[in-house]
Amino acid sequence: MTKAVIEKELAYSKEEKCLNVAMVRHDFPILNQKINQHPLVYLDNAATTQKPNTVLEAMSHYYHWDNANIHRGVHTLSVRATESFEAAREQVKQFINAEYTHEIIFTRGATESINLIAQTFARSELKAGDEIIISAMEHHSNIVPWQLVCEQVGAKLKVIPITDLGELDITAYMELFTEKTKIVSVAHVSNAIGTINPVAKIVEIAHQHNVPVLLDGAQAAPHMQIDVQKLDCDFYVFSSHKMYGPTGIGVLYGKTKWLDRLPPYEGGGDMIAEVSFEKTSYNKLPHKFEAGTPNIAGVIGLGAAIDYLNRLTMAAVSRYEDKLLQYATESLTAIEGLRIIGRAQQKAAVISFVIDDIHPHDIGTVLDHEGIAIRAGHHCAMPLMTRFNIAATARASFGIYNTLEEIDALVAALLRLKRLFN
């Protein structure tokens, strides 16, 4: 499909609202700069996204006018801070269509959310010989927490294999279940190759065995509408900074029945209901899992990021990014010697690639000289690299402010790079 055709498809119509990328770019001041005398082309969105003015202003407003601790003060600043904090919790609840607001737990990010479930699950649900299912495309944050749990309790990790296209082998997944299987934890979208996994089917199969499922939505939440009730997952985790919000804040969604059943993760602060030297009782949800003073400004910034995405609508975001992915895939495939790693039928706007005889780190360094920011390395998914018999890839990942012209700039820079190395 040509650039002109894609641009026509992206035009506004009465029937289907489309994202206006020119207006979006105006909201991100960081994009208006030069790197090495070239306009910045930021294609490292799977690592972290840039932040719109509304997010920056929301956090600045909190520190300028409302800075106080929450849930414990009766003065005006504390009341205002608490109201903003809890309003963001309600925004998250609506964003992922959770049934109850108390099912939204604020953490430092998706990694802490997975560790929270792994550790509390280990204390209350696992014993020696039990089995945990993950997949071969997980990033390290959805591998290592479960390995730690296996070492602690003597459980066993089982891995869903993937095909040469980078898709989960669902038949093999079904065969992994035994009476010892206790939990499944898989990515909704692969950070390294962009595969969108059939998570509703994965949950359905696990529930046929009465096994709960954790979905790692760090790479899905910025790109598509999430409906945890429709997915019927037991836990869903994601990070703010990958969806245009601040760093250091994330979300753990859990069904009430599981959050009530699992023990606290950390002690202190709001997770306490009553303490004596003989016994402590714990607070109700969601505070039971939120020890200590939280990242208040981060939560407020996350709420502003959700507001921003809601104004664009997630349907428009998905449609626009699909076009970017389609155009980038066709453009990059035309480069001789370039091989895309991961060709799943369902993909988010992430393209990992290798070029004959050029190391990905060299690709990333040369592109930076032209103002183009991509990621090079194993993407915290070393087992996945091993599966494809490579050490690393170059990765271009797209967001709501990227343009077809930036993809043209990437392709032109790669062609110059090939001439340089030849």
Side-chain angles (χ1 to χ4, degrees), residues 22 32 35 63-64 73 121 149 163 175 185 217 237 239 247-248 251 266 277 316 334 339 341 364 397 413-414:
N32 187 28
I35 301 293
Y63 280 124
H64 274 97
F121 209 81
V149 161
T163 68
E175 294 171 350
S185 185
V237 307
S239 295
T247 58
V251 170
E266 295 176 318
F277 285 114
R339 180 164 58 99
I341 306 299
S397 52
L414 289 173

Side-chain angles (χ1 to χ4, degrees), residues 264-273 281-283 287-292:
Y265 178 50
E266 295 176 318
D270 276 350
M271 58 82 66
I272 300 302
S281 58
Y282 306 118
N283 206 343
H287 311 298
K288 169 183 165 184
F289 292 103
E290 294 180 350

Side-chain angles (χ1 to χ4, degrees), residues 234-276:
D234 300 274
F235 307 102
Y236 197 95
V237 307
F238 57 97
S239 295
S240 160
H241 72 99
K242 295 182 189 292
M243 50 183 290
Y244 311 99
T247 58
I249 191 71
V251 170
L252 161 64
Y253 156 80
K255 287 181 178 175
T256 300
K257 67 176 184 179
W258 279 109
L259 296 179
D260 276 337
R261 179 167 163 174
L262 296 176
Y265 178 50
E266 295 176 318
D270 276 350
M271 58 82 66
I272 300 302
E274 187 173 348
V275 179
S276 71

Side-chain angles (χ1 to χ4, degrees), residues 188-226:
H188 192 164
V189 172
S190 165
N191 72 310
I193 57 176
T195 303
I196 301 175
N197 286 318
V199 288
K201 182 68 174 177
I202 288 170
V203 172
E204 179 186 355
I205 292 169
H207 285 180
Q208 289 171 359
H209 297 272
N210 295 317
V211 172
V213 178
L214 183 153
L215 298 179
D216 175 1
Q219 297 293 339
H223 304 296
M224 62 190 71
Q225 184 68 56
I226 304 299

Side-chain angles (χ1 to χ4, degrees), residues 68-102:
N69 216 324
I70 58 172
H71 296 149
R72 61 196 70 175
V74 295
H75 57 81
T76 299
L77 294 190
S78 179
V79 170
R80 290 207 303 245
T82 301
E83 289 175 349
S84 297
F85 186 91
E86 292 303 328
R89 197 189 306 274
E90 178 64 25
Q91 288 174 282
V92 174
K93 178 248 184 187
Q94 294 180 14
F95 186 68
I96 62 173
N97 194 33
E99 186 173 6
Y100 303 108
T101 306
H102 65 246

